[in-house]
Amino acid sequence: MSVKTMETQEVIELLEKVAGFDRPAGNDRVKTIIHRVMHDVFQIIEDLDITPEEFWSAVYYINELGKNGEAALLAPGLGMDKYLDIRMDAEDEQAGLAGGTPRTIEGPLYVAGAPMSEGFARLDDGTDTGAEVMLLKGVVTDENNRPLANAIVDVWHADSKGAYSYFDPSQSEYNLRRRIKTDAEGRYLAQSIIPSGYGCPPEGSTQALLTQLGRHGQRPAHIHFFISAPGHKHLTTQINLAGDKYTYDDFAFATRDELVVEARPVTHSAQGERHGVTGPVTEVEFNIQLVSTDRQDRQAMHQRQRVMA
Ligand code: MBD
Ligand code: FE
């Protein structure tokens, strides 16, 4: 069966009524968006000859997705977060704000309000005794490689099982989440543990769809950052550890070549010892370059719903 009804007056008028075009009340932006979304959904049904069975399985899939709280997990899996990044990169290019360390997606697992430290912080609570000790370090500079003191490095990552505090209630509050203010030389230093990669819940809605696409739901071991400094563009980014099976095969499409970092085991670290970290550690170095801007709207991170624990 292949019928064409999209051009009929009946469907055109239906879409206008669906979007509330015939009523003055409501929000014009929402009307415009919903009109377009429903038009395109109808068009997909026509073009792909979607059966009622397929349609209703999609509706109940969305119910399940919401029940499982996975909408913001499916989004990166379908490349939506990456697409917003592609647009922001292009906007930066147009506005003369390109350059510096590249952005990559935030993901759904940030929690605001992590404890603030000056120069150094220990991120882990010490309970993951089997984990490899990590020393994460770097310098925040401007585009001329001048160090930026008092930049705020807001860092978060998973534990050795790939789980994030808050979302994993077995972890302590703000475990593996800290804000570190850079010192006079622009440096930040963190003691933590080497994270494991993340895997989508195997029985969840996201993995169910990915499986239909012949895809996995794995991310490589990675560390998230928000970096901000007055007079500079806010940066949302991550590093992906080199040598992970998924470093270049991330289900969330967050890997960028400039953001792949080697984890180097060393027998001892002078920098670590100054903060009581003795014995062998694995060093991860990530230097960050920010782009200067007067624009207040670009110095702040964009608004979205976030956990405010
Ligand atoms: C993560 O840890 C993550 O960073 C993203 C983008 C999606 C799921 C889990
Ligand atoms: Fe993550």
Short mmCIF file of all heavy atoms in Angstrom, two decimals, residues 139-178:
data_model
loop_
_atom_site.label_atom_id
_atom_site.label_comp_id
_atom_site.label_asym_id
_atom_site.label_seq_id
_atom_site.Cartn_x
_atom_site.Cartn_y
_atom_site.Cartn_z
N VAL A 139 47.32 22.77 32.55
CA VAL A 139 47.40 24.23 32.64
C VAL A 139 46.27 24.81 31.80
O VAL A 139 46.02 24.32 30.69
CB VAL A 139 48.76 24.74 32.11
CG1 VAL A 139 48.88 26.25 32.28
CG2 VAL A 139 49.91 24.03 32.79
N VAL A 140 45.62 25.83 32.33
CA VAL A 140 44.62 26.55 31.56
C VAL A 140 45.27 27.84 31.06
O VAL A 140 45.83 28.61 31.86
CB VAL A 140 43.36 26.87 32.40
CG1 VAL A 140 42.33 27.62 31.56
CG2 VAL A 140 42.76 25.59 32.98
N THR A 141 45.25 28.03 29.74
CA THR A 141 45.87 29.22 29.15
C THR A 141 44.88 29.93 28.23
O THR A 141 43.83 29.38 27.89
CB THR A 141 47.11 28.86 28.31
OG1 THR A 141 46.68 28.02 27.22
CG2 THR A 141 48.17 28.15 29.12
N ASP A 142 45.26 31.13 27.81
CA ASP A 142 44.51 31.81 26.77
C ASP A 142 45.10 31.43 25.42
O ASP A 142 46.01 30.60 25.33
CB ASP A 142 44.47 33.33 27.01
CG ASP A 142 45.84 33.99 26.87
OD1 ASP A 142 46.80 33.34 26.38
OD2 ASP A 142 45.96 35.17 27.25
N GLU A 143 44.60 32.07 24.36
CA GLU A 143 45.04 31.69 23.01
C GLU A 143 46.51 32.03 22.75
O GLU A 143 47.11 31.49 21.83
CB GLU A 143 44.19 32.43 21.97
CG GLU A 143 42.77 31.96 21.93
CD GLU A 143 41.88 33.00 21.28
OE1 GLU A 143 41.58 34.02 21.93
OE2 GLU A 143 41.52 32.80 20.11
N ASN A 144 47.07 32.94 23.57
CA ASN A 144 48.49 33.28 23.43
C ASN A 144 49.35 32.49 24.41
O ASN A 144 50.49 32.88 24.69
CB ASN A 144 48.68 34.78 23.64
CG ASN A 144 47.85 35.58 22.65
OD1 ASN A 144 47.89 35.33 21.45
ND2 ASN A 144 47.06 36.52 23.16
N ASN A 145 48.77 31.41 24.93
CA ASN A 145 49.46 30.52 25.87
C ASN A 145 49.88 31.19 27.17
O ASN A 145 50.80 30.75 27.84
CB ASN A 145 50.68 29.85 25.19
CG ASN A 145 50.24 29.00 24.01
OD1 ASN A 145 49.28 28.24 24.11
ND2 ASN A 145 50.91 29.15 22.88
N ARG A 146 49.16 32.27 27.51
CA ARG A 146 49.40 32.90 28.82
C ARG A 146 48.52 32.17 29.84
O ARG A 146 47.33 31.97 29.62
CB ARG A 146 49.02 34.38 28.79
CG ARG A 146 50.10 35.26 28.14
CD ARG A 146 49.71 36.72 28.27
NE ARG A 146 48.40 36.95 27.67
CZ ARG A 146 48.18 37.82 26.67
NH1 ARG A 146 49.14 38.56 26.18
NH2 ARG A 146 46.96 37.97 26.18
N PRO A 147 49.13 31.75 30.97
CA PRO A 147 48.36 31.01 31.97
C PRO A 147 47.20 31.83 32.54
O PRO A 147 47.35 33.05 32.74
CB PRO A 147 49.38 30.69 33.07
CG PRO A 147 50.66 31.29 32.66
CD PRO A 147 50.54 31.92 31.33
N LEU A 148 46.09 31.18 32.78
CA LEU A 148 44.93 31.85 33.36
C LEU A 148 44.77 31.39 34.82
O LEU A 148 44.40 30.25 35.08
CB LEU A 148 43.67 31.52 32.57
CG LEU A 148 43.59 32.12 31.15
CD1 LEU A 148 42.40 31.54 30.39
CD2 LEU A 148 43.49 33.64 31.23
N ALA A 149 45.09 32.29 35.74
CA ALA A 149 44.87 32.00 37.16
C ALA A 149 43.39 32.13 37.48
O ALA A 149 42.66 32.86 36.79
CB ALA A 149 45.67 32.99 38.02
N ASN A 150 42.94 31.39 38.50
CA ASN A 150 41.54 31.46 38.97
C ASN A 150 40.51 31.05 37.93
O ASN A 150 39.35 31.43 38.03
CB ASN A 150 41.20 32.87 39.49
CG ASN A 150 42.08 33.26 40.66
OD1 ASN A 150 42.28 32.46 41.58
ND2 ASN A 150 42.64 34.46 40.61
N ALA A 151 40.95 30.28 36.94
CA ALA A 151 39.96 29.64 36.06
C ALA A 151 39.32 28.51 36.87
O ALA A 151 39.97 27.94 37.75
CB ALA A 151 40.64 29.07 34.82
N ILE A 152 38.08 28.21 36.59
CA ILE A 152 37.41 27.13 37.32
C ILE A 152 37.30 25.90 36.43
O ILE A 152 36.73 25.95 35.33
CB ILE A 152 36.05 27.56 37.87
CG1 ILE A 152 36.29 28.61 38.96
CG2 ILE A 152 35.29 26.36 38.46
CD1 ILE A 152 35.05 29.28 39.45
N VAL A 153 37.92 24.81 36.90
CA VAL A 153 37.90 23.53 36.20
C VAL A 153 36.93 22.63 36.97
O VAL A 153 37.22 22.20 38.08
CB VAL A 153 39.33 22.92 36.17
CG1 VAL A 153 39.33 21.58 35.46
CG2 VAL A 153 40.31 23.89 35.51
N ASP A 154 35.78 22.41 36.38
CA ASP A 154 34.72 21.59 37.00
C ASP A 154 34.81 20.22 36.33
O ASP A 154 34.55 20.10 35.13
CB ASP A 154 33.38 22.28 36.74
CG ASP A 154 32.24 21.74 37.60
OD1 ASP A 154 32.37 20.64 38.15
OD2 ASP A 154 31.21 22.43 37.69
N VAL A 155 35.23 19.22 37.10
CA VAL A 155 35.56 17.93 36.51
C VAL A 155 34.70 16.83 37.12
O VAL A 155 34.38 16.87 38.30
CB VAL A 155 37.09 17.66 36.65
CG1 VAL A 155 37.57 17.85 38.06
CG2 VAL A 155 37.49 16.29 36.15
N TRP A 156 34.25 15.88 36.28
CA TRP A 156 33.48 14.74 36.78
C TRP A 156 33.74 13.51 35.91
O TRP A 156 33.97 13.63 34.72
CB TRP A 156 31.98 15.06 36.88
CG TRP A 156 31.18 15.21 35.62
CD1 TRP A 156 30.32 14.29 35.09
CD2 TRP A 156 31.09 16.36 34.74
NE1 TRP A 156 29.72 14.79 33.95
CE2 TRP A 156 30.17 16.06 33.71
CE3 TRP A 156 31.72 17.61 34.72
CZ2 TRP A 156 29.86 16.94 32.68
CZ3 TRP A 156 31.41 18.50 33.70
CH2 TRP A 156 30.49 18.16 32.70
N HIS A 157 33.76 12.35 36.56
CA HIS A 157 33.98 11.12 35.81
C HIS A 157 33.42 9.92 36.56
O HIS A 157 33.00 10.02 37.71
CB HIS A 157 35.47 10.95 35.46
CG HIS A 157 36.39 10.72 36.62
ND1 HIS A 157 36.51 9.51 37.24
CD2 HIS A 157 37.24 11.56 37.29
CE1 HIS A 157 37.41 9.59 38.22
NE2 HIS A 157 37.86 10.83 38.27
N ALA A 158 33.43 8.77 35.89
CA ALA A 158 32.86 7.54 36.44
C ALA A 158 33.87 6.83 37.33
O ALA A 158 35.07 7.13 37.30
CB ALA A 158 32.44 6.62 35.30
N ASP A 159 33.40 5.86 38.09
CA ASP A 159 34.29 5.03 38.91
C ASP A 159 34.82 3.85 38.09
O ASP A 159 34.63 3.80 36.86
CB ASP A 159 33.58 4.58 40.21
CG ASP A 159 32.45 3.58 39.96
OD1 ASP A 159 32.25 3.14 38.80
OD2 ASP A 159 31.76 3.23 40.94
N SER A 160 35.47 2.90 38.77
CA SER A 160 36.09 1.79 38.03
C SER A 160 35.06 0.80 37.49
O SER A 160 35.40 -0.14 36.78
CB SER A 160 37.10 1.07 38.93
OG SER A 160 36.42 0.48 40.02
N LYS A 161 33.77 1.02 37.83
CA LYS A 161 32.70 0.21 37.22
C LYS A 161 31.95 0.99 36.14
O LYS A 161 30.95 0.52 35.59
CB LYS A 161 31.72 -0.26 38.30
CG LYS A 161 32.33 -1.18 39.33
CD LYS A 161 31.27 -1.57 40.37
CE LYS A 161 31.87 -1.91 41.71
NZ LYS A 161 32.39 -0.71 42.43
N GLY A 162 32.40 2.20 35.87
CA GLY A 162 31.72 3.02 34.86
C GLY A 162 30.48 3.73 35.38
O GLY A 162 29.67 4.21 34.60
N ALA A 163 30.35 3.82 36.72
CA ALA A 163 29.16 4.44 37.31
C ALA A 163 29.48 5.81 37.90
O ALA A 163 30.58 6.04 38.40
CB ALA A 163 28.58 3.53 38.39
N TYR A 164 28.50 6.71 37.85
CA TYR A 164 28.65 8.09 38.33
C TYR A 164 27.93 8.29 39.65
O TYR A 164 26.78 7.84 39.81
CB TYR A 164 28.05 9.06 37.31
CG TYR A 164 28.87 9.26 36.06
CD1 TYR A 164 28.85 8.34 35.03
CD2 TYR A 164 29.67 10.40 35.91
CE1 TYR A 164 29.59 8.53 33.88
CE2 TYR A 164 30.42 10.60 34.76
CZ TYR A 164 30.38 9.67 33.76
OH TYR A 164 31.12 9.86 32.62
N SER A 165 28.58 9.01 40.59
CA SER A 165 27.91 9.32 41.85
C SER A 165 26.63 10.09 41.57
O SER A 165 26.48 10.71 40.51
CB SER A 165 28.84 10.12 42.77
OG SER A 165 29.15 11.39 42.24
N TYR A 166 25.73 10.07 42.51
CA TYR A 166 24.37 10.63 42.44
C TYR A 166 23.46 9.68 41.66
O TYR A 166 22.45 9.24 42.18
CB TYR A 166 24.32 12.03 41.83
CG TYR A 166 22.91 12.61 41.82
CD1 TYR A 166 22.44 13.36 42.91
CD2 TYR A 166 22.04 12.38 40.76
CE1 TYR A 166 21.14 13.86 42.92
CE2 TYR A 166 20.74 12.88 40.76
CZ TYR A 166 20.30 13.62 41.84
OH TYR A 166 19.02 14.10 41.84
N PHE A 167 23.85 9.32 40.42
CA PHE A 167 23.05 8.40 39.62
C PHE A 167 23.23 6.97 40.14
O PHE A 167 22.35 6.14 39.99
CB PHE A 167 23.43 8.52 38.14
CG PHE A 167 23.22 9.93 37.64
CD1 PHE A 167 24.28 10.84 37.62
CD2 PHE A 167 21.96 10.36 37.26
CE1 PHE A 167 24.08 12.15 37.21
CE2 PHE A 167 21.76 11.68 36.85
CZ PHE A 167 22.82 12.57 36.82
N ASP A 168 24.40 6.71 40.71
CA ASP A 168 24.67 5.46 41.42
C ASP A 168 24.62 5.80 42.91
O ASP A 168 25.58 6.34 43.47
CB ASP A 168 26.06 4.93 41.03
CG ASP A 168 26.54 3.82 41.96
OD1 ASP A 168 25.73 3.28 42.75
OD2 ASP A 168 27.75 3.48 41.88
N PRO A 169 23.49 5.50 43.57
CA PRO A 169 23.32 5.94 44.96
C PRO A 169 24.25 5.23 45.94
O PRO A 169 24.33 5.65 47.09
CB PRO A 169 21.84 5.63 45.26
CG PRO A 169 21.40 4.66 44.23
CD PRO A 169 22.31 4.77 43.05
N SER A 170 24.98 4.20 45.49
CA SER A 170 25.90 3.53 46.41
C SER A 170 27.18 4.36 46.61
O SER A 170 27.94 4.11 47.54
CB SER A 170 26.24 2.13 45.90
OG SER A 170 27.21 2.18 44.87
N GLN A 171 27.41 5.36 45.77
CA GLN A 171 28.61 6.20 45.93
C GLN A 171 28.32 7.37 46.87
O GLN A 171 27.18 7.82 46.98
CB GLN A 171 29.08 6.72 44.57
CG GLN A 171 29.62 5.64 43.65
CD GLN A 171 30.17 6.21 42.35
OE1 GLN A 171 30.88 7.20 42.35
NE2 GLN A 171 29.84 5.57 41.24
N SER A 172 29.40 7.90 47.48
CA SER A 172 29.24 9.03 48.39
C SER A 172 28.92 10.30 47.60
O SER A 172 29.16 10.37 46.39
CB SER A 172 30.51 9.22 49.22
OG SER A 172 31.62 9.45 48.38
N GLU A 173 28.41 11.29 48.32
CA GLU A 173 28.00 12.54 47.68
C GLU A 173 29.19 13.21 46.97
O GLU A 173 30.25 13.37 47.58
CB GLU A 173 27.41 13.50 48.73
CG GLU A 173 26.68 14.65 48.11
CD GLU A 173 26.05 15.59 49.14
OE1 GLU A 173 26.70 15.86 50.19
OE2 GLU A 173 24.94 16.06 48.90
N TYR A 174 28.99 13.58 45.75
CA TYR A 174 30.00 14.27 44.92
C TYR A 174 31.29 13.45 44.73
O TYR A 174 32.35 14.00 44.42
CB TYR A 174 30.33 15.66 45.49
CG TYR A 174 29.21 16.64 45.27
CD1 TYR A 174 28.53 17.21 46.35
CD2 TYR A 174 28.84 17.02 43.98
CE1 TYR A 174 27.49 18.12 46.14
CE2 TYR A 174 27.81 17.93 43.77
CZ TYR A 174 27.14 18.48 44.85
OH TYR A 174 26.13 19.37 44.63
N ASN A 175 31.21 12.13 44.92
CA ASN A 175 32.38 11.31 44.62
C ASN A 175 32.76 11.50 43.15
O ASN A 175 31.90 11.45 42.26
CB ASN A 175 32.06 9.83 44.90
CG ASN A 175 33.30 8.95 44.85
OD1 ASN A 175 34.38 9.37 45.28
ND2 ASN A 175 33.15 7.73 44.34
N LEU A 176 34.04 11.75 42.91
CA LEU A 176 34.57 11.90 41.54
C LEU A 176 34.01 13.14 40.83
O LEU A 176 33.91 13.18 39.59
CB LEU A 176 34.34 10.62 40.72
CG LEU A 176 34.76 9.32 41.42
CD1 LEU A 176 34.42 8.10 40.57
CD2 LEU A 176 36.24 9.34 41.77
N ARG A 177 33.65 14.13 41.65
CA ARG A 177 33.18 15.43 41.11
C ARG A 177 33.80 16.54 41.96
O ARG A 177 33.63 16.56 43.18
CB ARG A 177 31.65 15.55 41.23
CG ARG A 177 30.86 14.44 40.54
CD ARG A 177 29.37 14.60 40.82
NE ARG A 177 28.60 13.50 40.26
CZ ARG A 177 28.18 13.45 38.99
NH1 ARG A 177 28.44 14.46 38.17
NH2 ARG A 177 27.50 12.41 38.56
N ARG A 178 34.51 17.44 41.34
CA ARG A 178 35.09 18.58 42.07
C ARG A 178 35.22 19.78 41.13
O ARG A 178 35.31 19.63 39.92
CB ARG A 178 36.52 18.27 42.58
CG ARG A 178 36.60 17.33 43.77
CD ARG A 178 35.97 17.90 45.04
NE ARG A 178 36.14 16.99 46.18
CZ ARG A 178 35.35 15.93 46.43
NH1 ARG A 178 34.37 15.61 45.61
NH2 ARG A 178 35.58 15.17 47.49
#
